[in-house]
Amino acid sequence: MDWVKKPPIIVVLGHVDHGKTSLLDYIRKTNVALKEAGGITQKIGAYEIEYKGEKMTFIDTPGHEAFAMLRQRGAKFADIGILVIAADEGVKEQTKESLEYLKIFKIPFIIALNKIDKKDADPEKVLAQLVELEVIPEKWGGEIPTINVSAKTGEGIDDLLETIILLRDIYEMKTKINGLGRGYILEAFKDPKRGILASLIVTEGVVKLGDFLITQSSLAKIKIMEDDLGRKINEAYPSKPILVGNFDVLPSAGEEFKIGQEKDIENIRKELEEKEKTYIRKHIFVKTEEKGDYVLIVRADHLGSLEALENIFLKLSQKLNTNIKIIKQDLGPISLEDVELAKEFGAIILSFNVKNFKNILDHIKNLNIKFIESNVIYELEEKLESLIKGEEIKELLPKGELEVLATFSKTKTKKTIGGRVVLGRIKLKDKVIILRNGEIMGRGKIISLEKNKILVEEVKENELCGLIIETTKDIEINDIIRIE
Ligand code: GDP
């Protein structure tokens, strides 16, 4: 076996508008020998560059889409992450999410503090924000390299590329170049003239023209093979992104492929399928084989919360002498797939500190799926406990949400507003959370409630009402008032 230094495969992540696409474009523009290819390039989901004689490949699908693929299938083809943070804006929601992904997949990463050319760029402030998230920059004694860059002027980009090579060496990223190739599908599409094509990335071994390329769902006897500059090639080594033709059916993005003999196709398929299943069981967390008196699907804002919740379920299992099992846990809002899974396995869906989509919540309601949502851990625990004890499940649905349509008078501690109940019902004296764009702005209590100018105790879904909320926080139009 010939182990060689692997050209690193790099994925770029970060908050929207922080400059991922600009950075990818700048690196491509300045480091790909376009002239050599007659100026023709094709977008195949990744591109290869050569910097000071070292090859590297950039995944051209910025951020979340690429990671959705990694997450769902365990397509762990990225060797290094670049987390882009705009130095004028600092850490944002998707920055935190990206950090979670990098942690889950244990991908070494570099932080690119972008837009350094801007007057209000304040990289030191961003470093301090990172420390709060337990990401300690190298220059402050930690392990994470941070580099000031500008995707506009190109400042710092050489430094960034050099740090990539450094990380490859520190982590001794190696691969085999002999033997049958394997790798991952990036994208697949149908071309009216050339049939089904897929772009893919080789992670090990060699892929040759004429080989059988096998995935779980598809097969290609390779007749077309091109690089990211549209040139015909006969073979591809790690970490080359290539376009391959002659597939029988469309493969899915993120699927692993292997090169093999025709007679081994079925065995290879089984092997790939088993590998993906094992991954999913272990990491993304669907463990449908788990049996318990109560099975849960858990959604939370970040990994720390998932861990805290796991401990709570363990404690409850012991306290109530019952068997509570998690069949799936994941970050972010409840998905349609979760609902299907809950239906199939009679699971309870728990949602902690995430903003869910209204249509999904309606779907849960319609299907009568047991559901608990809360932004407070102990409350979630209490609700689950009462559910297990057989108390009324309806009570456990989110009690009510109101959308603020108008704001009237306000004092330091009292805000008068008008709105429509968009979910459930709200009652006088209810404690509430004030949400803006899914983030908690503050808490309060309904101290007056009226419908058609008449004082009432309760307002139901779709009804309009006026209310006074006791809170020190300001309330704005479009805010959501959610009953705690
Ligand atoms: P993405 O959503 O993360 O892919 O962000 P884009 O690459 O689309 O960039 C968002 C905006 O920021 C665009 O208007 C870019 O022109 C601008 N931008 C990106 N990088 C820089 C930079 O380094 N300096 C300045 N001044 N603007 C930048």
Side-chain angles (χ1 to χ4, degrees), residues 260 447 456 473:
I447 54 168
V456 289
K473 300 287 172 204

Side-chain angles (χ1 to χ4, degrees), residues 33 135 142 167 178 291 339 476:
V135 177
L167 277 194
N178 289 342
K291 293 255 181 328
V339 182
E476 293 178 2

Side-chain angles (χ1 to χ4, degrees), residues 15-23 62 114-118 149-152:
H15 196 73
V16 63
D17 277 348
H18 278 199
K20 298 177 293 293
T21 315
S22 307
L23 190 70
N114 191 32
K115 307 199 186 182
I116 204 72
D117 59 285
K118 286 179 95 169
V149 303
S150 166
K152 192 176 171 190

Side-chain angles (χ1 to χ4, degrees), residues 339-470:
V339 182
E340 294 298 317
L341 209 63
K343 196 170 80 182
E344 191 181 341
F345 290 90
I348 305 164
I349 301 181
L350 279 99
S351 155
F352 175 70
N353 229 0
V354 288
K355 174 82 183 143
N356 291 303
F357 299 107
K358 183 167 182 321
N359 60 338
I360 299 272
L361 292 178
D362 287 344
H363 198 43
I364 291 174
K365 232 176 176 176
N366 291 339
L367 291 173
N368 259 330
I369 286 169
K370 293 171 195 153
F371 172 60
I372 302 174
E373 184 184 42
S374 179
N375 301 314
V376 190
I377 278 220
Y378 74 80
E379 190 185 60
L380 203 92
E381 181 180 355
E382 269 175 16
K383 286 179 172 178
L384 182 62
E385 182 169 348
S386 33
L387 186 144
I388 289 173
K389 284 178 175 164
E391 294 179 14
E392 185 62 34
I393 290 158
K394 276 205 181 76
E395 266 304 292
L396 294 160
L397 284 164
K399 288 182 210 141
E401 271 185 12
L402 171 125
E403 185 181 354
V404 179
L405 301 175
T407 55
F408 305 111
S409 63
K410 63 176 177 189
T411 69
K412 243 192 177 134
T413 56
K414 288 179 191 150
K415 312 284 140 81
T416 308
I417 58 169
R420 180 193 299 278
V421 178
V422 289
L423 190 82
R425 58 188 62 200
I426 63 169
K427 292 202 203 90
L428 191 65
K429 295 190 186 147
D430 272 343
K431 286 191 176 150
V432 297
I433 302 173
I434 303 155
L435 295 164
R436 190 167 306 148
N437 299 323
E439 284 190 45
I440 300 178
M441 306 312 291
R443 292 186 142 80
K445 186 177 167 184
I446 302 175
I447 54 168
S448 168
L449 188 60
E450 61 180 49
K451 211 164 70 180
N452 301 323
K453 302 216 158 73
I454 299 165
L455 287 172
V456 289
E457 289 281 317
E458 183 180 297
V459 181
K460 299 198 188 77
E461 195 163 312
N462 284 326
E463 290 179 340
L464 293 165
C465 60
L467 54 166
I468 302 175
I469 295 183
E470 188 179 67

